[in-house]
């Protein structure tokens, strides 16, 4: 199943090899595509590959190496990168994994994508996702599901499932995802990779197809904290095309080696007793707390009294913003068009009915209802008030701590089709949603495999607004204890046993639980 992949190497390893001419950027690109060709049929992380763009970027890097000027290419020079398919990249299809945009070709490039390419990244392609980012499993994609590299019968999480799975399978070194209520962090936990959702406003949203404009944020997936921090350095900063973006000059790698001695790590006791939290996730979360305590951090209990209302507020605010954002896909200006309609009204109806999937229709209908006369005042205003209370709760909590540690998801990756009830599916984000509502930074840090399932588990680190370096510092301390995130066993170099070997290792690590 495996093929040697430069994408399984870290940023520093790649650049050291380029600088000493052990290999070329062209070789990195060629072998990355060979790895995708060999392995992605079983994972289905990629919707489109971008060979021409990759070889063009590789040629620039190789020319710089020949001139002994690799540094001029940027901090991600030679790094294989890929992008969630809701991010525009000129000349590529940007479908949001929906039939509605199946034939749409981007006429421009999103700022976040351009920043990564300008930093020297080698663009490999576009990645699968839940349709319009509506989902927690990547099962709602119109172009087929993405599989979890740790167990191909299980979901990778969502909505950025392709972004997480491609890193876990060693198909890319760094990928970008978007997070509206947990769509970076939850798949990061399910696939066992580092996954960062920065503070709202750290990264420009220009050119990213919107789900919830006041909630969305772009962030990186990687297998090490340093690689994620390097990507965040390239991504962050003021963009005149996005009025919500901020002038960020932080070097997110600067304090990774400082350790956590003297840091105050907040723990929410109510989260640890939440209904639905499995024993293995709770145990791993407590273990991570202990690891930080052993490293010199001070553990303090905090309270987020309105956090239990976050789910209710989110499923008012999110669908309302989604309804507004999806109105543009009317079959006239954008999207699928049914050419057999007799009039414009019928064209709207039939085109949107055929173009949108079930989950997208569900959220459009909910948003339409919640914004209707007589209902808007009852629910939308109340949700905005809850948002204010949650934001205040976090601000007060950070008077007592520097970072909050919590579970990412209540369980490990579930099997395809195991959860069919939308309400139960929404509970996958029960620990992540409040962070988007408040606008704080949050990330998933892998802390090993669960004792019962043998599947990856991540813990969530949550930082104050525009203090994302705090959570990265704490994550770096955990990485010393747990190690860099590995490529999933079936896709690691040297594995010639394929899925059978993966299952054997899982059973062994789970103590024979299967």
């Amino acid at each position: 199943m495996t093929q040697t992949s430069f994408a399984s190497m870290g940023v520093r390893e790649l650049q050291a090899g380029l600088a000493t001419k052990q290999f070329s950027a062209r070789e990195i690109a060629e072998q990355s595509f060979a790895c995708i060709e060999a392995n992605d049929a079983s994972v289905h992380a990629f919707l489109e590959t971008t060979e021409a763009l990759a070889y063009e970027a590789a040629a620039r890097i190789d020319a710089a190496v020949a001139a002994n000027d690799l540094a001029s290419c940027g901090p991600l020079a030679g790094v294989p990168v890929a992008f969630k398919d809701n991010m525009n990249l000129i000349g590529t299809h940007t479908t949001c994994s929906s039939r509605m945009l199946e034939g749409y070709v981007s006429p421009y490039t999103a700022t976040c994508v351009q920043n990564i390419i300008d930093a020297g990244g080698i663009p490999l392609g576009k990645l699968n996702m839940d349709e319009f980012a509506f989902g927690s499993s990547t099962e709602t994609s119109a172009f087929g599901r993405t599989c979890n590299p740790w167990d191909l019968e299980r979901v990778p999480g969502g909505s950025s499932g392709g972004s997480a799975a491609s890193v876990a399978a060693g198909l890319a070194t760094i990928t970008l995802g978007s997070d509206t209520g947990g769509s970076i962090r939850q798949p990061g936990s399910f696939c066992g990779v580092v996954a960062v959702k920065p503070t709202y406003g750290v990264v420009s949203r220009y050119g990213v197809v919107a789900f919830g404009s006041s909630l969305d944020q772009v962030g990186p997936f990687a297998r090490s904290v340093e690689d994620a921090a390097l990507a965040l350095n390239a991504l962050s900063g003021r963009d005149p095309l996005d009025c919500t973006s901020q002038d960020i000059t932080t070097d997110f790698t600067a304090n990774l080696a400082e350790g956590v001695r003297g840091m105050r790590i907040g723990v929410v006791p109510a989260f640890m007793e939440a209904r639905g939290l499995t024993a293995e996730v709770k145990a791993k979360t407590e273990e991570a707390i202990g690891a930080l305590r052993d490293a010199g951090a001070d553990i303090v209990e905090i309270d987020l009294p309105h956090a239990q209302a976050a789910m209710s507020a989110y499923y008012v605010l999110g669908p309302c913003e989604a309804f507004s954002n999806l109105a543009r896909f009317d079959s006239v200006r954008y999207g699928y068009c049914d050419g057999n309609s007799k009039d414009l009204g019928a064209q709207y109806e039939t085109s949107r009915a055929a173009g949108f999937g079930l989950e997208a229709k569900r959220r459009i209908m909910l948003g339409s209802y919640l914004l209707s006369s007589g209902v808007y005042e009852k629910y939308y205003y109340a949700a905005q008030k809850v948002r204010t209370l949650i934001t205040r709760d976090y601000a007060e909590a950070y008077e007592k701590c520097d970072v909050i540690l919590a579970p990412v998801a209540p369980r490990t990756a579930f099997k395809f089709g195991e959860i069919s009830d939308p309400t139960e599916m929404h509970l996958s984000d029960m620990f992540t949603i409040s962070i988007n509502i408040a606008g704080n930074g949050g990330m998933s840090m892998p802390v090993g495999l669960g004792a019962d399932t043998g599947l990856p588990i991540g813990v969530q680190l949550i930082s104050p607004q525009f203090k994302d370096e705090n959570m990265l510092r704490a994550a770096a301390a955990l990485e010393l204890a747990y190690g860099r995130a590995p490529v999933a066993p079936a896709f690691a170099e040297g594995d010639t046993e394929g899925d059978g070997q993966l299952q054997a290792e899982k059973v062994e690590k789970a103590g024979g639980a299967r």
Side-chain angles (χ1 to χ4, degrees), residues 6-349:
F6 286 108
S8 65
M9 300 170 67
V11 174
R12 302 294 190 194
E13 297 172 89
L14 287 165
Q15 293 184 342
L18 285 169
T20 56
K21 301 182 180 179
Q22 296 177 38
F23 46 77
S24 68
R26 175 81 185 195
E27 288 177 299
I28 292 174
E30 288 175 345
Q31 288 302 314
S32 294
F33 287 121
C35 185
I36 293 169
E37 177 70 21
N39 294 335
D40 193 47
S42 59
V43 178
H44 187 47
F46 281 82
L47 295 180
E48 180 177 2
T49 52
T50 52
E51 285 86 349
L53 291 173
Y55 293 138
E56 180 182 318
R60 291 195 300 269
I61 295 164
D62 285 336
V65 171
N68 293 317
D69 193 22
L70 178 61
S72 68
C73 293
L76 301 180
V79 176
V81 298
F83 311 103
K84 188 176 179 178
D85 200 38
N86 61 347
M87 301 174 189
N88 281 276
L89 174 57
I90 190 167
T92 69
H93 292 89
T94 299
T95 70
C96 296
S97 291
S98 175
R99 296 293 180 193
M100 180 60 76
L101 289 174
E102 187 171 6
Y104 178 74
V105 177
S106 300
Y108 71 107
T109 298
T111 299
C112 59
V113 173
Q114 192 63 58
N115 285 349
I116 291 294
I117 294 174
D118 288 346
I122 297 177
L124 302 180
K126 308 293 283 296
L127 298 162
N128 201 16
M129 57 183 284
D130 280 301
E131 182 181 15
F132 284 104
F134 302 149
S136 301
S137 63
T138 318
E139 292 175 288
T140 69
S141 170
F143 308 120
R145 68 194 192 189
T146 293
C147 300
N148 191 318
W150 285 83
D151 183 341
L152 299 177
E153 296 179 357
R154 295 179 184 267
V155 305
S159 61
S160 305
S163 301
S166 58
V167 173
L171 306 181
T173 300
I174 291 172
T175 61
L176 297 189
S178 62
D179 190 311
T180 309
S183 291
I184 289 175
R185 291 157 289 160
Q186 184 249 27
S189 179
F190 279 12
C191 291
V193 297
V194 178
V196 180
K197 183 212 83 74
T199 297
Y200 184 83
V202 167
V203 180
S204 170
R205 295 179 296 109
Y206 176 75
V208 180
V209 180
F211 165 2
S213 301
S214 73
L215 302 164
D216 298 342
Q217 187 61 186
V218 172
F221 292 85
R223 280 187 302 281
S224 74
V225 176
E226 183 183 40
D227 285 1
L230 287 167
L232 196 53
N233 281 349
L235 287 166
S236 60
R238 174 68 178 163
D239 177 12
L241 299 172
D242 177 5
C243 64
T244 66
S245 64
Q246 303 297 310
D247 186 15
I248 305 297
T249 58
T250 304
D251 177 1
F252 294 102
T253 66
N255 67 351
L256 298 183
E258 290 182 5
V260 291
R261 185 165 301 280
M263 282 192 80
R264 299 168 299 167
I265 308 296
V267 176
V268 185
F271 283 1
M272 301 302 292
E273 302 301 327
R275 182 179 180 182
L277 181 66
T278 61
E280 64 178 346
V281 173
K282 181 177 180 179
K284 274 294 180 183
T285 304
E286 291 174 339
E287 180 184 281
I289 293 169
L292 291 177
R293 181 187 291 112
D294 292 344
D298 298 323
I299 308 301
V300 297
E301 291 189 356
I302 59 168
D303 187 24
L304 298 171
H306 298 97
Q308 77 278 4
M311 185 78 71
S312 299
Y314 176 84
Y315 281 100
V316 172
L317 300 173
C320 287
E321 294 188 16
F323 167 73
S324 177
N325 282 318
L326 294 187
R328 72 193 69 178
F329 303 112
D330 58 6
S331 77
V332 176
R333 294 168 294 179
Y334 299 97
Y336 169 80
C337 180
D338 183 343
N340 298 318
S341 302
K342 296 180 179 180
D343 55 50
L344 185 60
Q347 179 180 310
Y348 285 157
E349 292 178 6

Side-chain angles (χ1 to χ4, degrees), residues 397-469:
Y398 287 120
E399 293 177 1
K400 302 176 182 177
C401 66
D402 304 304
V403 176
I404 296 170
L405 189 148
V408 176
R411 58 173 296 173
T412 56
F414 46 88
K415 290 187 176 181
F416 288 105
E418 183 177 343
I419 299 179
S420 57
D421 179 8
T423 301
E424 187 178 355
M425 184 72 77
H426 296 165
L427 292 176
S428 296
D429 299 328
M430 62 190 295
F431 296 116
T432 56
I433 279 175
S434 65
I435 290 85
N436 296 77
I437 287 177
N440 299 92
M443 66 178 289
S444 176
M445 179 64 202
V447 291
L449 306 179
D452 299 323
T453 62
L455 293 169
I457 293 175
V459 295
Q460 184 173 202
L461 296 162
I462 310 163
S463 64
Q465 292 180 4
F466 302 107
K467 293 289 186 181
D468 296 343
E469 63 272 19

